[in-house]
Amino acid sequence: MQFLSSSVGRKIVMAITGLMLLAFLVIHLFGNSLIYVGWINAYGEKLHSLPPVVWAFRLVMLCVFAVHIYFGVTLALENNAARPAPYAVKKNLRATFSGRTMIWTGLLIVVFLIYHLLHFTMRMTNPDISNSLDELGRLDVFKMVVFSFKNFAIAGVYIAAMMAIALHLSHGVQSFVQTFGLNSDKTIPTVEKAGTGVAIVLFLGYVSIPLVIILGIMNYKG
Ligand code: HEM
């Protein structure tokens, strides 16, 4: 418990839960990319065919997400309340835009996630296009995604959310490295580049899906 009341202990929890959320983003992007090879409906069916595994996974991720948010908010509030330190803290990352906006991009991600779950998982926001079955009797995830992103407003919301995620991640990866003391004056530029690199790769991967649909490169031929 003493571990969790120290700021270092809580930063370590933030780093570990952040890494688990990043792992989820990578796996989810891999799953979503199956849309390019026509396997997204099969993938959706496979996921839903294992309810105990899916629910165990959801429960774990929900706890991880809740812990990450709780410690993120409390650390941010404490940082805001703290008076400037009387001594210079060396080897700190620069106060970048992504760093200063962590709490806001985090909040936007929570709002997006609620919308995203209502949209694609519970299929409540657009039931007209979200509950069709394909010719094999599986949920037509392909149709749901394509018809959704043909709508500029929906695609815009996703692209804006991906920007918030990219900003959040670019600082998050750097903080992770800093928390474990892996940065020095020499490595800070590399750490900053690595954070930006991870954020850009995930951003491009996720945004490519609404983009190819808006541009008409990917279409539903049902
Ligand atoms: C272009 C971007 C995205 C697309 C096309 C997409 C697509 C989907 C689809 C189709 C599902 C429903 C899967 C199913 O029930 O069959 C889903 C679920 C989900 N997505 Fe996304 N997603 C995107 C971005 C994101 C992002 C950025 C996050 C995280 C911040 C995210 C988090 C989730 C979560 C937590 C679920 C629920 C998984 C579950 O059922 O337990 N998604 N997504």
Side-chain angles (χ1 to χ4, degrees):
M1 272 300 127
Q2 204 162 9
F3 173 74
L4 289 183
S5 57
S6 75
S7 124
V8 173
R10 284 179 292 159
K11 279 185 181 160
I12 290 176
V13 173
M14 283 296 286
I16 293 170
T17 50
L19 187 67
M20 291 171 85
L21 293 168
L22 173 63
F24 170 81
L25 277 177
V26 172
I27 295 168
H28 192 43
L29 178 58
F30 176 75
N32 288 348
S33 302
L34 295 176
I35 199 164
Y36 290 116
V37 287
W39 290 350
I40 194 94
N41 292 0
Y43 175 64
E45 193 194 33
K46 189 84 206 149
L47 280 183
H48 292 288
S49 69
L50 306 162
V53 180
V54 171
W55 279 104
F57 177 76
R58 283 174 175 165
L59 202 67
V60 171
M61 288 317 289
L62 190 68
C63 294
V64 168
F65 201 52
V67 168
H68 192 78
I69 294 171
Y70 176 76
F71 285 110
V73 170
T74 51
L75 276 170
L77 291 177
E78 276 168 28
N79 282 347
N80 275 350
R83 276 187 277 139
Y87 50 87
V89 179
K90 276 194 171 173
K91 292 176 188 165
N92 244 353
L93 294 164
R94 281 179 290 133
T96 53
F97 177 73
S98 60
R100 281 181 279 117
T101 51
M102 282 306 265
I103 190 86
W104 301 113
T105 48
L107 197 71
L108 278 175
I109 295 168
V110 172
V111 173
F112 163 74
L113 204 55
I114 294 171
Y115 167 67
H116 183 52
L117 292 179
L118 290 171
H119 180 205
F120 280 157
T121 301
M122 294 175 227
R123 303 189 291 277
M124 285 163 75
T125 57
N126 301 80
D128 45 323
I129 53 166
S130 301
N131 292 302
S132 312
L133 301 181
D134 66 8
E135 66 279 5
L136 297 177
R138 304 171 299 195
L139 178 70
D140 202 340
V141 181
F142 183 76
K143 179 180 177 184
M144 171 172 81
V145 173
V146 171
F147 275 71
S148 290
F149 291 149
K150 268 172 180 283
N151 179 320
F152 277 96
I154 297 180
V157 165
Y158 273 77
I159 293 170
M162 298 314 138
M163 286 178 181
I165 292 172
L167 268 177
H168 198 85
L169 266 181
S170 82
H171 183 78
V173 170
Q174 295 169 33
S175 301
F176 178 90
V177 176
Q178 191 181 22
T179 296
F180 290 105
L182 299 173
N183 61 320
S184 63
D185 287 342
K186 255 189 180 171
T187 54
I188 283 177
T190 316
V191 168
E192 287 182 350
K193 275 190 203 134
T196 311
V198 170
I200 290 178
V201 168
L202 281 175
F203 175 77
L204 292 177
Y206 274 106
V207 160
S208 70
I209 299 173
L211 270 191
V212 292
I213 293 168
I214 294 175
L215 296 174
I217 298 169
M218 182 185 283
N219 237 315
Y220 180 77
K221 300 178 190 82

